Amino acid sequence: MAKITFITSDNKTTVLEGSSGSVMQLAVDNNINGIDGDCGGVCSCATCHVHVHPDHFEKTGMPSDIENDMLELDDHVNAYSRLCCQIEINEALDGLVLTVAK
Amino acid sequence: MTNSSTQICVVIGASHAGVNFAFSLRKEGWEGSIILFDKQTAIPYHRPPLSKTYLTSGDDAKDKNVLKSHESYTKENITLQLGVSVKTIHREAKKITLSDGTLQQYDKLVIATGARPLIPDIKGINNAINIFTLRTIKDSEAIRNAIKKGGIKSALIIGGGYIGLEIAASLKKMDISVTVLERENRILDRVTTQNLSTFFKDLHTNNGVVIDTKKNVISIETHDNVNTVICDDGTRYNSDMIVLGVGIRVNTELAQEAGIAIENGIKVSAASQTSDKAIYAIGDCTYHHNPHYNRFVRLESVQNAIDQAKVAAASICGKMAIYDAIPWFWSDQYDVKLQIVGLFSNYNEVIVRKETGENKKLSIWYFNDKELLAVEAVNNAKAYVLGTKFIKGRKEINKTNLRDVSLTLSPSNLLLP
Ligand SMILES: Cc1cc2nc3c(=O)[nH]c(=O)nc-3n(C[C@H](O)[C@H](O)[C@H](O)COP(=O)(O)OP(=O)(O)OC[C@H]3O[C@@H](n4cnc5c(N)ncnc54)[C@H](O)[C@@H]3O)c2cc1C
Ligand code: FES
């Protein structure tokens, strides 16, 4: 089990628990505002953009090349941007804090 | 919005369009009931993986494939009625008849009935064995189960469109020997130009799939568990399995019988409204105007389903909403990711760009004079993302620089000052 915190653009904080699947699925299953997951998690839509808490970037790791390319021109991209469909949930993510990008 | 708490919004079809609509409607502030009907029994799911990862990966992929969990419907107070098909729309009474004969009242009705596979008129098709179409989760499972049972070594895909080619790639991955038969001169004839057709033909050929073009199938003979497919030029193909991928038929009958305007699909306004003000239509079943390209189109894509769903939801909640999206689409085959943005028809110039040293990174840029219309990007998300920005902003491109692969793809290199 990993506890993951989502902070949405309306400054609402939601803590969810997951054990498998992607962070995007967890968010979509719980109606987290701003994470749509339109392409179903194949890195094609960029509707699952989050900012990882800077202290937690080691937990999630760096984005892949295609993820970087998808994000590069996004108006809200920063050094801690990830497409959360590309983050698989595992124990090591416990305590992760994510801010949903606008 | 006033007084919507006693109103009922009914949605026919719970797939990409219908489900996204229901959740968007809540988000827009609709306080009344939302009832989704679908004749299928499975909880609504993502369709794109059905020909891709879902086909190859098996039941463990089931949870991953769900559009929204059961709990999220409950949380948003959206009623999901599965296994119920809608038979008739009574516009004057604002009611629909369900498959069990009961009537359901509506204030607003949304038609999201999508499409079904086209079954070509081929002699002997009804007697063929192990013959499949692919539109639903059941179809995908049926293909996978037939292979799991054993005894299937070869498959013929009739139709070289995106879905047919994705199935070819997936079956190949499952160690089936695959042949694709295409009626036209080239695969993907209806959806792209020669450049991309050639790329995919080579990709499949290199992966051991046989692609035969100019093959018009006229009959199928089936003896002793083997299908023989016969083309009008006399060629014959034996195969254990046949998958039909020759396109779709839009589910417009329900709307048509109710007297709603139909033109190459259910005709809708910029707000996705049909000719009846209380009835909206969204997704694959619609024929709509695209303002950016100023033409009418019927699209088969997740993007269109979702964007129309959002527009319809906003409009029903009394907001000004206009569908003004740049279409986008993707297809995954083998290790190749194709991403398309824009509509290429009306082009008069194409620039094909192959990145140096990088395996299969390709992008195809379509112009009408100065205007960039569309980009097809193969393993090149950067080209896709840039293309999207440029098309949206109607930016003028420096074509000389675009042709020059020693210059990287970036706004500063590609935009004219
Ligand atoms: C195998 C496959 C791969 C695809 N790959 C991609 C891809 O990579 N990228 C992409 O963008 N798009 C892809 N698509 C297209 C995409 O899935 C469709 O554009 C999308 O599903 C359209 O959604 P929709 O809700 O409009 O219609 P549909 O998904 O067709 O759903 C319509 C629903 O309405 C229901 N229905 C119809 N009539 C009735 C009735 N009378 N009563 C009750 N229910 C009814 C049906 O059961 C169905 O569930 C793919 C499609 C398939 C089949
Ligand atoms: S869900 Fe589409 S990119 Fe993550």
Side-chain angles (χ1 to χ4, degrees):
Chain A
M1 275 294 180
K3 270 203 175 88
I4 300 176
T5 303
F6 294 87
I7 306 168
T8 47
S9 58
D10 49 357
N11 264 326
K12 220 174 99 185
T13 297
T14 312
V15 184
L16 298 174
E17 270 187 23
S19 51
S20 64
S22 75
V23 173
M24 178 277 286
Q25 280 155 25
L26 181 70
V28 167
D29 280 346
N30 290 280
N31 301 341
I32 297 292
N33 233 327
I35 297 188
D36 298 335
D38 288 349
C39 76
V42 295
C43 226
S44 293
C45 70
T47 63
C48 63
H49 181 187
V50 295
H51 301 296
V52 178
H53 189 288
D55 297 346
H56 300 166
F57 208 50
E58 253 165 52
K59 289 187 203 246
T60 61
M62 302 288 284
S64 65
D65 287 350
I66 168 172
E67 232 183 298
N68 258 331
D69 286 346
M70 287 297 284
L71 285 167
E72 193 184 285
L73 292 178
D74 193 291
D75 293 339
H76 304 286
V77 72
N78 71 14
Y80 304 103
S81 283
R82 289 291 314 262
L83 293 175
C84 69
C85 66
Q86 302 301 307
I87 308 175
E88 280 295 308
I89 299 178
N90 58 47
E91 301 267 326
L93 290 188
D94 192 39
L96 180 67
V97 177
L98 303 171
T99 305
V100 178
K102 286 207 180 88
Chain B
M1 198 182 18
T2 50
N3 261 339
S4 74
S5 61
T6 55
Q7 298 213 352
I8 304 170
C9 181
V10 168
V11 187
I12 310 174
S15 180
H16 287 277
V19 169
N20 275 287
F21 166 81
F23 283 86
S24 299
L25 190 67
R26 268 293 173 250
K27 220 166 157 184
E28 293 287 352
W30 178 266
E31 288 167 0
S33 335
I34 303 174
I35 311 172
L36 280 167
F37 290 104
D38 202 293
K39 59 180 164 206
Q40 293 184 61
T41 49
I43 180 164
Y45 49 87
H46 286 276
R47 284 184 202 239
L50 299 182
S51 49
K52 311 179 183 84
T53 49
Y54 191 75
L55 187 55
T56 51
S57 60
D59 290 340
D60 40 317
K62 211 159 199 148
D63 290 343
K64 277 195 185 172
N65 220 32
V66 165
L67 279 175
K68 287 276 185 179
S69 63
H70 272 298
E71 300 81 66
S72 35
Y73 292 92
T74 316
K75 233 192 232 164
E76 296 295 332
N77 196 12
I78 293 166
T79 309
L80 186 58
Q81 298 262 19
L82 298 173
V84 182
S85 122
V86 175
K87 294 295 175 197
T88 326
I89 302 170
H90 312 279
R91 292 200 291 132
E92 291 75 34
K94 286 197 171 179
K95 282 186 176 125
I96 55 172
T97 306
L98 307 176
S99 36
D100 65 0
T102 56
L103 288 169
Q104 169 67 54
Q105 180 84 37
Y106 66 82
D107 294 288
K108 299 284 180 197
L109 181 67
V110 177
I111 304 174
T113 46
R116 60 181 180 274
L118 176 68
I119 311 290
D121 190 16
I122 296 172
K123 204 175 130 203
I125 198 166
N126 293 329
N127 299 322
I129 55 155
N130 286 321
I131 185 164
F132 302 93
T133 53
L134 182 45
R135 181 83 191 174
T136 66
I137 199 159
K138 276 201 176 135
D139 296 338
S140 185
E141 286 167 0
I143 295 173
R144 195 195 318 130
N145 289 339
I147 291 170
K148 254 195 353 216
K149 235 172 57 192
I152 290 183
K153 294 198 173 58
S154 63
L156 262 185
I157 317 285
I158 303 181
Y162 284 121
I163 292 180
L165 294 178
E166 288 172 358
I167 297 169
S170 296
L171 294 184
K172 195 70 209 174
K173 207 172 162 186
M174 297 159 92
D175 275 336
I176 307 287
S177 110
V178 184
T179 302
V180 177
L181 300 184
E182 167 59 52
R183 188 183 57 189
E184 306 300 328
N185 290 329
R186 56 182 175 89
I187 52 172
L188 300 171
D189 173 78
R190 193 175 60 89
V191 288
T192 186
T193 57
Q194 184 76 55
N195 307 288
L196 198 59
S197 294
T198 305
F199 171 84
F200 276 108
K201 178 169 196 231
D202 294 345
L203 176 71
H204 281 273
T205 310
N206 292 339
N207 277 283
V209 167
V210 177
I211 306 258
D212 281 350
T213 52
K214 286 189 262 181
K215 295 296 175 193
N216 187 17
V217 175
I218 49 167
S219 68
I220 303 173
E221 289 170 6
T222 304
H223 305 289
D224 301 329
N225 287 337
V226 175
N227 299 304
T228 306
V229 168
I230 301 155
C231 303
D232 65 353
D233 62 358
T235 37
R236 301 163 74 89
Y237 297 86
N238 287 345
S239 85
D240 306 321
M241 173 185 267
I242 300 172
V243 188
L244 300 168
V246 295
I248 56 156
R249 270 285 143 81
V250 188
N251 292 326
T252 52
E253 291 79 359
L254 206 54
Q256 186 154 22
E257 283 158 19
I260 293 166
I262 305 287
E263 186 184 330
N264 185 23
I266 302 173
K267 197 163 182 194
V268 293
S269 72
S272 249
Q273 211 164 23
T274 68
S275 56
D276 180 326
K277 295 279 170 272
I279 304 179
Y280 288 69
I282 54 178
D284 277 17
C285 66
T286 67
Y287 186 60
H288 60 272
H289 183 252
N290 187 293
H292 186 91
Y293 295 92
N294 193 20
R295 46 183 278 248
F296 282 87
V297 284
R298 189 171 60 67
L299 298 174
E300 298 158 27
S301 73
V302 167
Q303 167 274 321
N304 179 58
I306 293 175
D307 287 337
Q308 282 192 322
K310 288 179 182 162
V311 166
S315 172
I316 286 175
C317 289
K319 295 176 189 156
M320 243 311 266
I322 283 180
Y323 180 74
D324 189 8
I326 309 291
W328 57 267
F329 183 79
W330 77 93
S331 174
D332 297 324
Q333 297 167 42
Y334 309 104
D335 56 344
V336 164
K337 177 169 216 68
L338 168 71
Q339 292 172 283
I340 302 175
V341 57
L343 300 174
F344 72 92
S345 52
N346 295 337
Y347 73 98
N348 56 16
E349 187 181 0
V350 187
I351 295 178
V352 179
R353 198 184 141 109
K354 285 192 179 112
E355 303 307 317
T356 48
E358 286 178 277
N359 211 7
K360 297 180 196 143
K361 265 199 181 184
L362 172 78
S363 55
I364 304 168
W365 303 66
Y366 294 90
F367 295 87
N368 183 300
D369 298 333
K370 285 179 178 171
E371 187 176 6
L372 177 65
L373 297 172
V375 178
E376 294 167 336
V378 172
N379 289 339
N380 196 342
K382 190 166 274 173
Y384 167 77
V385 165
L386 279 171
T388 306
K389 268 219 140 117
F390 297 163
I391 295 169
K392 271 193 184 144
R394 295 194 194 271
K395 297 277 194 250
E396 200 178 325
I397 312 287
N398 183 330
K399 292 180 186 170
T400 316
N401 285 1
L402 177 61
R403 284 195 192 90
D404 183 352
V405 288
S406 71
L407 295 172
T408 55
L409 288 173
S410 72
S412 55
N413 283 339
L414 295 182
L415 291 181
L416 283 174

